[in-house]
Amino acid sequence: MTFSKPFLTLCMITKNEEENLPRALDSVQGLVDEIILVDTGSEDKTLDIALQYGAKTYVIPWQNDFSLARNYALDQAQGEWILFLDADEELKNTNLDLKNFLQNSIEEGFFLKIINMSEDQNILNSFAFRLFRNNPLYRYEGKIHEQILATIERLKPNAVINWLDIEIYHYGYLETQVKTKNKVQRNLDILLNQTPEIKQTSFYCFNLGMEYLRLGELSEAEKWLQAGWEKVDTNLSFAHRLVLKLITCLFLQEKYEKAVLYCQKGEEYYCDYADLYYYHGASLIQMGKFGEARSVLKIGLDKGKSPRHYISEAGCGTYLNFEALGIVEEAHLNFNLATDYFWQALKLHPNDSYYLQLFLRNLVKSDSNISEYLKKLTFLSQDVIQIGAEFLFKLGKYTIAIELLELKKNNQSNFRTLLKAKTYLMLGTHDKALELLQTIPDDIDLRKKVVFYIWIIYWLQNDSQLAEELLPEMNALDAGVGKLLGELQEYLSSGVLENFQVELLNEEKNIDLVLSIIEAIAAVLGPSELLEKVISLIEQFADKKVLTSIAKLLYKQKLYPNSLKFFQEKNLKFLDIEAILAFIDLLGNKDPVLTNKIVKNLLEQNPKLARGYLMGMDLWLKNAGKANLQIQKKIDLLRKIPPIC
C-alpha cells in the first residue's frame, strides 16, 4: 500500500541527545514516513545526527513546558497518525505491519508497552499513550508529565482506545542518564513553579513525591505521596501507581506496619494488582509474620501478573512471589519446600544468579535428589552456571560444584577450567586438577593462578623439586609472589623461620594466596603437620581479621577443634557475622554465659544478615538454643528476621 502524503509521523523533542538519538532513530527506520524533531537548545551533535536520518528539525527556546514543545512538534507533523518517542527510548517488536494495521483500524489511539530499564535489573513495565490520530484539536496538557489522552476523550467521548504489544524500551532513568542530565532537579524546578491551582491536585502531589523518591529524600516523598493518596480519585489512571509508590517509600524506610495498612487499602480498590500483594507479603516477612506473609504471597501468585493497565514491576505475581515464599520456608527450616520455590523463581528468571544461589543454598540442606535437580539446569547460561559453581565452592560443596560445572561442556572458558581444577584439588584428585591446569593456555591474566595451584599440587604430592622448578616462572610473573612461595617452601621443608621476610605477608594479595594454601591443605590432608606449620607461620604475623579467616576456612572443612581454637583466642569485635555464628555453633552449650554474649554481639552487628547465616545451623538450634532459655529467646527474635544473604 502506498500513501500520497506521510501516513505515520514520528515526533520527538530533544536537548543534547547525541548519545541516545541514533538508537532511537535506528529503531524506526522503514516504519515511519516522516520525522519531526523539535530541539530546545542542544549544544552537541543532536541536530546533525537528526539531519543524517532525514528528520525535519526545528529549534525553539526551552520554556520549562513539555506540552508547549510537544504541541509545536504536532503543528509541524503532516502524517495521519502520530508516534511520539523520546530520544532515550527505542522501539521494539515491530513485526506488525503497522501502517496497514492503522489504515484499517477504528481506534483513535493506542497505548504502547513501556519497559523502563534500570541498572539493578529491576524492570518496570507500563503502558503509555504514544500512538494516535493526527487532529489539530488534540493537544498535550501540563508543563510536566504531560498528557494528551484527556483532550481526546473530551473531544470524542466515544473514542475507541486500545493497546498494542509494540514495546518501547526506556533508558532515561538509568543512573548514568539521570546523573548526566540531572533530570530529577529539572523536573523539580518545573513542579515547584506550578500554579497554586495545580499544586492542589493529587496528580501534582504524586509527581512531586516521585521526584523526591528518585532523589532518595524518602520522608519528603512520603509526605507528598500520602497527601496525594488522601485526595485522589481512585478511578484515575495514575492512582494505583500513587498508592504503590507510597508503599515502596514506606518499605524503604522500614515502616512495615504502615506499608501493610496501605497495601490493604490499595487491595480494596485494585484487587488484581499483583504488586500490592508482593509488597504486602514482603512487609509481613520483615515484621516476622511469616504465616500471614505466606497466605498473602500465595494470593498474589494465584492472581498472576497485573493486567496491562497497571504499571507493574517485573516479577510481581510470579518470580518475586516465589522468592519471598522461599524465604518464608527457609526461615522455618523447610528446606525442601524452600528449594522448590527458589527453583520456580529461577526457571522464570534464569539470568539472575542470585536466584541460583538461593536455590543451591537450600538444595544442599534439603532431602531432594541433588543430581536430578542439577541435570535440569541446562537452561542456564555458562556465566550463571559458573557463578553457581563458585558459590558451591565457597560453601565447601566441592562434589556438587563439579556436577554443576560438568553441565554445558562446550565452549568452556579458561576461568571455568581453572575453577574446575581448583575444585578437583579440594577433593584431593590431584592428577585431574593438574591435567586441567595444564590445558589452560598461557593467558597472562590467569597464568599466575595456574602456576600457583600447580605449585600447591606438587607440595601436596610431596614433590618439592617440581615445586621449586616453578619458582623462576612465578618470579617472572610476579616477583613478590615468587619470593613468598620460595620462602614458604624453604620454611615448610625446614621449619626454620630465620630467613622468612615478614613484609611478604603484609600485602593483601599474599595473604589471600596463603589462605588458599591453607584451604587446600585443610580440604585434602585435614589437620596435618603441614597445615599446622603454615598456620603457625601466618598467625605470627597476620592481624586478627586474617586469623578469623583461617578459623572460617577450618570451620568450612569441618575441622572444628582447630577452628574453635582460633575463635577463642580472638576479640569478638574482629569477628564478622559468619564467624560469630560459627563460634556459636562450635561452642554450643559448653559455656552458655560466653555464648549468650556472642549472641548479643551478633544481634547488635547486623541482625538481618545474621538471620540468614543462622538458618541451617541445626547443631546450635537443637543443642545450645534449648540448653539456655535466655539464649533461646534471642534466637526466637532472630527467627523473625528474614535471611537476605
Side-chain angles (χ1 to χ4, degrees):
M1 183 176 295
T2 59
F3 303 93
S4 58
K5 68 171 187 175
F7 179 74
L8 179 58
T9 297
L10 170 69
C11 290
M12 307 182 77
I13 58 174
T14 59
K15 182 178 180 180
N16 294 330
E17 293 286 1
E18 65 177 11
E19 292 185 8
N20 290 316
L21 190 57
R23 178 181 59 211
L25 295 179
D26 282 337
S27 73
V28 297
Q29 287 298 290
L31 185 69
V32 301
D33 306 301
E34 180 183 49
I35 301 173
I36 301 297
L37 186 142
V38 175
D39 191 83
T40 59
S42 290
E43 298 173 342
D44 61 4
K45 297 179 181 179
T46 295
L47 290 171
D48 293 335
I49 293 169
L51 290 170
Q52 291 172 15
Y53 284 85
K56 299 174 183 177
T57 60
Y58 304 87
V59 178
I60 64 171
W62 175 242
Q63 299 181 44
N64 285 337
D65 190 332
F66 281 96
S67 285
L68 187 151
R70 288 194 187 275
N71 290 333
Y72 187 90
L74 290 179
D75 288 337
Q76 319 310 317
Q78 299 298 309
E80 295 181 32
W81 283 82
I82 302 295
L83 169 67
F84 245 110
L85 283 183
D86 291 336
D88 54 14
E89 295 177 337
E90 178 183 18
L91 205 64
K92 295 275 192 178
N93 293 354
T94 53
N95 295 328
L96 174 69
D97 188 346
L98 184 58
K99 285 189 281 190
N100 281 334
F101 172 80
L102 294 175
Q103 182 74 11
N104 298 303
S105 67
I106 61 170
E107 289 86 354
E108 201 67 21
F110 294 90
F111 286 92
L112 304 185
K113 188 175 184 179
I114 309 293
I115 299 177
N116 294 283
M117 309 301 292
S118 70
E119 290 170 336
D120 60 1
Q121 297 185 345
N122 186 24
I123 297 174
L124 192 68
N125 297 327
S126 62
F127 280 81
F129 192 72
R130 296 294 194 85
L131 181 62
F132 49 88
R133 294 183 187 273
N134 189 2
N135 184 324
L137 297 178
Y138 296 166
R139 285 296 177 264
Y140 280 92
E141 298 175 341
K143 291 186 176 183
I144 189 170
H145 303 296
E146 59 284 2
Q147 306 289 323
I148 197 170
L149 181 56
T151 64
I152 295 175
E153 291 178 333
R154 281 200 305 270
L155 291 165
K156 290 190 176 182
N158 297 321
V160 178
I161 305 298
N162 217 327
W163 284 263
L164 279 180
D165 286 331
I166 293 175
E167 296 176 347
I168 297 174
Y169 278 50
H170 176 225
Y171 303 92
Y173 279 105
L174 289 171
E175 185 179 354
T176 51
Q177 295 276 352
V178 174
K179 285 181 178 178
T180 301
K181 300 189 177 176
N182 201 11
K183 288 185 175 182
V184 176
Q185 191 57 54
R186 176 205 65 191
N187 293 351
L188 272 177
D189 290 343
I190 297 173
L191 285 165
L192 293 173
N193 285 288
Q194 293 280 28
T195 63
E197 296 78 19
I198 290 177
K199 288 183 177 181
Q200 294 302 312
T201 64
S202 58
F203 191 55
Y204 173 83
C205 295
F206 166 61
N207 289 322
L208 191 57
M210 287 288 289
E211 300 306 333
Y212 281 120
L213 190 57
R214 290 189 182 105
L215 282 174
E217 297 182 17
L218 299 180
S219 59
E220 194 70 12
E222 178 190 346
K223 180 181 77 173
W224 286 101
L225 291 169
Q226 187 167 317
W229 177 249
E230 288 172 357
K231 65 177 71 174
V232 75
D233 176 351
T234 55
N235 294 312
L236 291 172
S237 61
F238 69 91
H240 72 281
R241 181 78 169 140
L242 193 161
V243 70
L244 181 66
K245 278 301 172 182
L246 174 56
I247 290 163
T248 55
C249 183
L250 294 168
F251 190 88
L252 290 170
Q253 295 178 89
E254 301 184 1
K255 296 180 179 180
Y256 303 120
E257 291 186 14
K258 196 172 179 181
V260 166
L261 290 176
Y262 279 101
C263 285
Q264 292 168 335
K265 290 180 181 179
E267 288 159 14
E268 292 177 11
Y269 296 102
Y270 317 111
C271 62
D272 53 352
Y273 193 11
D275 300 54
L276 294 175
Y277 295 97
Y278 169 70
Y279 277 100
H280 190 169
S283 298
L284 288 168
I285 288 175
Q286 296 290 344
M287 294 165 64
K289 296 183 177 181
F290 290 116
E292 292 180 45
R294 183 188 287 119
S295 299
V296 171
L297 290 164
K298 285 184 176 180
I299 291 172
L301 272 181
D302 290 340
K303 291 183 179 293
K305 294 181 181 179
S306 298
R308 58 188 178 184
H309 58 274
Y310 292 121
I311 296 177
S312 180
E313 183 178 328
C316 288
T318 57
Y319 58 82
L320 287 177
N321 290 57
F322 281 124
E323 175 198 345
L325 284 165
I327 287 171
V328 168
E329 299 307 333
E330 185 179 15
H332 287 86
L333 307 183
N334 297 327
F335 299 121
N336 288 355
L337 194 50
T339 297
D340 184 61
Y341 280 131
F342 290 133
W343 170 249
Q344 298 297 332
L346 179 63
K347 286 195 298 183
L348 292 169
H349 204 46
N351 294 324
D352 194 336
S353 59
Y354 170 67
Y355 287 118
L356 178 59
Q357 292 177 27
L358 289 174
F359 165 69
L360 293 172
R361 185 175 76 190
N362 283 271
L363 179 64
V364 298
K365 299 174 189 174
S366 72
D367 299 327
S368 304
N369 187 320
I370 294 175
S371 294
E372 287 303 312
Y373 257 120
L374 294 181
K375 290 176 184 176
K376 299 176 183 178
L377 292 175
T378 52
F379 63 90
L380 299 177
S381 69
Q382 295 273 16
D383 291 341
V384 172
I385 285 175
Q386 178 161 324
I387 292 171
E390 289 171 346
F391 179 72
L392 289 168
F393 184 94
K394 291 176 182 177
L395 292 178
K397 306 296 181 181
Y398 304 122
T399 302
I400 305 172
I402 288 293
E403 284 190 64
L404 189 57
L405 286 168
E406 288 298 320
L407 296 176
K408 291 191 173 182
K409 295 182 180 180
N410 296 332
N411 301 318
Q412 293 199 26
S413 67
N414 293 331
F415 288 97
R416 190 166 174 178
T417 302
L418 177 62
L419 176 59
K420 191 183 291 188
K422 286 166 52 180
T423 309
Y424 274 118
L425 169 59
M426 296 302 173
L427 288 169
T429 314
H430 298 155
D431 291 342
K432 184 66 175 176
L434 188 59
E435 177 187 339
L436 287 167
L437 289 168
Q438 290 172 340
T439 66
I440 299 175
D442 291 343
D443 184 321
I444 191 167
D445 295 326
L446 290 182
R447 187 58 188 169
K448 185 166 65 174
K449 292 182 180 179
V450 170
V451 173
F452 170 71
Y453 282 109
I454 292 176
W455 182 88
I456 290 181
I457 290 171
Y458 287 154
W459 257 105
L460 291 175
Q461 293 178 332
N462 294 315
D463 198 331
S464 57
Q465 181 177 348
L466 284 176
E468 190 169 349
E469 289 175 3
L470 287 174
L471 294 180
E473 182 179 1
M474 181 59 83
N475 274 309
L477 292 167
D478 189 321
V481 173
K483 190 171 185 180
L484 172 67
L485 295 186
E487 296 203 8
L488 270 176
Q489 189 165 313
E490 182 180 344
Y491 163 69
L492 292 174
S493 300
S494 64
V496 178
L497 273 176
E498 59 184 14
N499 296 323
F500 196 87
Q501 297 186 34
V502 177
E503 65 270 14
L504 291 175
L505 282 176
N506 290 337
E507 290 189 41
E508 186 174 344
K509 66 175 182 179
N510 290 342
I511 290 293
D512 290 340
L513 290 174
V514 176
L515 289 175
S516 296
I517 293 170
I518 292 173
E519 183 171 20
I521 296 172
V524 178
L525 302 180
S528 64
E529 181 182 351
L530 187 61
L531 178 65
E532 292 293 334
K533 273 189 176 182
V534 179
I535 292 175
S536 65
L537 170 67
I538 196 171
E539 70 179 325
Q540 292 183 56
F541 306 122
D543 62 21
K544 293 180 178 179
K545 289 183 180 180
V546 172
L547 295 170
T548 297
S549 297
I550 295 175
K552 287 194 289 185
L553 285 176
L554 297 172
Y555 177 82
K556 185 171 80 171
Q557 302 302 335
K558 296 184 171 56
L559 301 178
Y560 299 129
N562 306 68
S563 180
L564 186 57
K565 167 194 169 189
F566 283 95
F567 282 128
Q568 288 175 327
E569 291 174 356
K570 312 307 158 215
N571 189 317
L572 282 177
K573 69 180 181 179
F574 288 102
L575 298 175
D576 63 17
I577 290 167
E578 186 180 8
I580 293 172
L581 284 164
F583 194 1
I584 293 171
D585 191 15
L586 291 167
L587 199 61
N589 57 7
K590 298 172 186 175
D591 191 340
V593 175
L594 179 57
T595 307
N596 198 19
K597 290 180 181 178
I598 296 166
V599 173
K600 181 180 178 182
N601 182 283
L602 172 66
L603 284 163
E604 290 173 352
Q605 278 202 49
N606 190 333
K608 290 182 182 178
L609 193 59
R611 177 66 184 77
Y613 282 117
L614 188 61
M615 289 294 86
M617 287 201 162
D618 297 327
L619 179 65
W620 163 242
L621 291 171
K622 290 176 181 177
N623 298 326
K626 292 180 181 178
N628 186 305
L629 290 177
Q630 187 177 6
I631 298 174
Q632 184 62 52
K633 289 179 180 178
K634 291 187 171 69
I635 294 298
D636 289 341
L637 177 60
L638 279 177
R639 288 177 66 85
K640 294 180 180 180
I641 305 169
I644 59 172
C645 64

